[in-house]
Amino acid sequence: MLQLDGRSLRIADVLAVADHRMPVGLAADARARMEATRRVVQAAVDHGAPVYGVNTGFGKLSEVTIATPQLAALQRNLVRSHAAGVGDALPEREVRAMMLLRANVLATGYAGARASVVERLLDMLNAGVWAVVPEQGSVGASGDLAPLAHLALALIGEGPARLGDREGPSAELLQVVGLEPVVLEAKEGLALINGTQAHTAVASLAAAELTSLWRVAHVATAMSLEALLGTPDAFDVRIQNARGQIGQAESAALLRTLLMPSEIRESHRHGDPRVQDAYALRCVPQVHGPALDTLRFARGIIDRELNAATDNPLVLDTGELLSGGNFHGQAVGMVSDFLAIICANLAVISERRTDRLVHPDFNQGLPPFLAASPGLESGHMMTQVSAAALASECKALAHPHSVDSIPTDGNKEDVVPMAMGAATRLRRSVRNLRHVLAIELICAAEGLEHRRPLRSSDAVEQAHALVRQHVARSDGDRPPGPDITRLANAIASGAFDDLTSSVVI
């Protein structure tokens, strides 16, 4: 069981809970911190002086003081009124990640919520009950108010939820698993909705998959290089040392590992009139390397945000309540844009390699469009077109979302980061890249068939065998869409990860 302490959650933990249903509990030290700061909130209630989020209205209405008998209604109304999301529901894995992250933030103790609130949230998570959360409606300013409010609605038994394939009122589904809805007390509605956990949940899962896709991009490169009779000379360690970029050097080292030794390479080492390959082959370390550097930076930001106290005001065990802006989502919103740029760059260079594999003027004697009977058959002509469409969309999705701002809440929230939009667009970019790489692997595997009986390196041959587990060799035209989907699903499941496990990200 994963024990939440508000301090040590990592992306790998989010994956374990979101995808593999690892059970989660509340650590004893986190419980003690929560109990201490809850006493501070109760003292503020007893004292009666205006404290934002405890006995005042919210945002532009923060000047309105609320009487003590209405404090529970204040928190309930906050959750109800802020559940303004629209659009498609977030997938289960993202909602589970969001539930985990929100519980972890409450476990920091800075929100001043009761430990029982976290425990009920974790009970839902462990029982498989998850809120129906629309993905649109958050600007990431005072946190992801709308998505988190939909999550809180399910917690208090008022919103829709799901249990397996069943959808219904959360109160009914909670009853099915033997749980009671939470009755909110002072500040707890605000504690549940004020923070960055919706867009951070989406971004953390996308960053995890992009890490895997960065590895797969090297496997695809190695297979394409061999199919195109390219040279690994551009990956020489001396070239990388001359520049000194860390990611570039590690990318080149991974390619050298994947490509050595190879009968295909030895077959054209001498007598090949080409002095150097096209950029899509020769400059892979110079493109994939900066992607690695940026990916590491972005994952560091996200890892820190998983354990960030993002409520307002923050409740300190000294008895103080401090108002600030930790709910602002610029940090993860900005790196979500960075990660979308990585997707675009990896997709563009992959599509260019695919084009060289099918283009009869550039594919080093492979059949036009890799067709068995060119002319009678179109082969992978349209497969490359699909890659082009996906890569083009990745370019559009890479336009930064976090530079936008539309003031909200009566201009009280006058600079907002649009972080949720950045995160959901990143998710789509990652999916596009997964399919672009699947297309390259399919075409590269087909190209290798035409170099037989020569064999490539052990790693490339293993990759070829993995492709063939999901996509049969072409023996005539057939719809390529199902092949692409099957291989993309295999990529998403981590089928190629073992080939590049030497790289630590």
Side-chain angles (χ1 to χ4, degrees):
M1 176 177 286
L2 175 66
Q3 294 290 329
L4 289 188
D5 59 11
R7 295 173 175 171
S8 58
L9 195 66
R10 293 292 179 263
I11 291 176
D13 301 320
V14 179
L15 279 175
V17 174
D19 290 338
H20 305 298
R21 300 184 178 275
M22 175 184 283
V24 191
L26 180 62
D29 59 338
R31 179 191 299 278
R33 286 197 305 273
M34 294 187 71
E35 290 172 350
T37 55
R38 184 62 196 173
R39 289 192 291 270
V40 174
V41 173
Q42 190 58 52
V45 171
D46 296 341
H47 187 265
V51 177
Y52 179 77
V54 175
N55 53 11
T56 71
F58 305 98
K60 189 70 172 176
L61 300 175
S62 59
E63 291 82 8
V64 179
T65 301
I66 310 300
T68 299
Q70 296 177 305
L71 295 186
L74 172 69
Q75 298 301 314
R76 190 167 57 249
N77 288 340
L78 174 68
V79 171
R80 289 170 174 169
S81 65
H82 282 57
V86 298
D88 296 336
L90 292 172
E92 179 182 2
R93 66 193 299 259
E94 291 179 355
V95 178
R96 289 180 59 81
M98 185 166 63
M99 295 169 71
L100 174 70
L101 267 57
R102 197 62 209 164
N104 193 58
V105 167
L106 296 179
T108 66
Y110 284 108
R114 292 169 295 159
S116 59
V117 175
V118 172
E119 289 171 336
R120 186 51 43 84
L121 193 56
L122 296 182
D123 288 340
M124 289 176 60
L125 190 60
N126 292 334
V129 178
W130 51 288
V132 175
V133 180
E135 73 172 33
Q136 294 174 290
S138 172
V139 298
S142 191
D144 296 309
L145 293 171
L148 288 170
H150 284 275
L151 176 60
L153 268 185
L155 186 65
I156 66 175
E158 294 194 8
R162 290 178 179 165
L163 174 62
D165 294 332
R166 178 179 176 183
E167 180 174 333
S170 58
E172 293 182 9
L173 297 184
L174 288 172
Q175 187 176 29
V176 169
V177 296
L179 298 175
E180 293 289 332
V182 166
V183 178
L184 298 175
E185 296 186 3
K187 197 183 179 294
E188 289 180 337
L190 184 62
L192 285 166
I193 73 171
N194 206 5
T196 63
Q197 286 67 53
H199 67 258
T200 302
V202 177
S204 63
L205 294 174
E209 181 172 359
L210 183 53
T211 302
S212 175
L213 294 181
W214 184 88
R215 300 172 184 274
V216 175
H218 287 78
V219 175
T221 297
M223 191 181 292
S224 293
L225 187 84
E226 289 285 83
L228 290 167
L229 303 180
T231 174
D233 289 354
F235 312 144
D236 190 294
V237 65
R238 293 165 293 185
I239 295 175
Q240 322 315 316
N241 289 344
R243 192 174 197 185
Q245 291 291 349
I246 296 172
Q248 175 182 323
E250 292 188 43
S251 173
L254 178 54
L255 288 167
R256 291 194 301 271
T257 300
L258 290 170
L259 286 162
M260 301 300 288
S262 165
E263 291 178 356
I264 294 176
R265 169 55 182 152
E266 294 306 316
S267 71
H268 64 97
R269 181 182 293 276
H270 305 290
D272 191 334
R274 291 174 299 159
V275 176
Q276 54 192 15
D277 292 315
Y279 283 11
L281 298 174
R282 184 178 13 137
C283 295
V284 169
Q286 288 78 10
V287 175
H288 289 196
L292 176 58
D293 293 329
T294 306
L295 181 57
R296 283 175 170 155
F297 169 76
R299 286 179 60 111
I301 295 286
I302 293 170
D303 264 338
R304 289 192 289 276
E305 193 69 8
L306 297 180
N307 301 287
T310 58
D311 200 2
N312 181 54
L314 296 180
V315 184
L316 307 183
D317 56 11
T318 60
E320 299 170 274
L321 287 92
L322 297 179
S323 288
N326 279 0
F327 46 66
H328 199 282
Q330 195 74 39
V332 174
M334 187 176 291
V335 297
S336 293
D337 286 337
F338 294 169
L339 294 174
I341 291 171
I342 291 176
C343 291
N345 285 329
L346 294 182
V348 165
I349 196 170
S350 172
E351 183 279 327
R352 287 294 80 200
R353 292 190 296 265
T354 295
D355 180 70
R356 300 194 79 82
L357 286 162
V358 302
H359 200 307
D361 294 341
F362 304 129
N363 65 5
Q364 298 300 308
L366 297 174
F369 304 105
L370 302 172
S373 300
L376 175 64
E377 299 169 0
S378 295
H380 286 285
M381 181 185 295
M382 286 304 299
T383 310
Q384 181 269 328
V385 172
S386 291
L390 293 164
S392 178
E393 185 177 68
C394 282
K395 295 179 192 178
L397 294 171
H399 178 82
H401 217 55
S402 60
V403 299
D404 190 21
S405 180
I406 298 177
T408 59
D409 188 23
N411 215 45
K412 187 82 169 182
E413 300 167 358
D414 57 344
V415 179
V416 305
M418 303 298 179
M420 189 66 179
T424 55
R425 292 199 317 177
L426 169 62
R427 178 220 294 147
R428 186 172 179 88
S429 294
V430 169
R431 185 183 69 185
N432 287 351
L433 175 59
R434 184 197 316 147
H435 286 85
V436 170
L437 292 173
I439 288 169
E440 182 183 358
L441 285 166
I442 289 170
C443 292
E446 198 65 31
L448 281 181
E449 305 285 4
H450 294 276
R451 305 304 181 192
R452 300 304 189 209
L454 297 176
R455 308 288 290 179
S456 183
S457 65
D458 289 344
V460 169
E461 292 296 339
Q462 290 175 40
H464 178 270
L466 284 170
V467 173
R468 285 290 171 257
Q469 288 179 18
H470 303 279
V471 179
R473 182 178 181 181
S474 296
D475 57 0
D477 281 347
R478 64 174 185 261
D483 289 342
I484 298 169
T485 299
R486 279 195 307 278
L487 190 57
N489 289 340
I491 291 171
S493 71
F496 292 83
D497 286 355
D498 287 346
L499 296 174
T500 57
S501 58
S502 61
V503 178
V504 178
I505 302 178

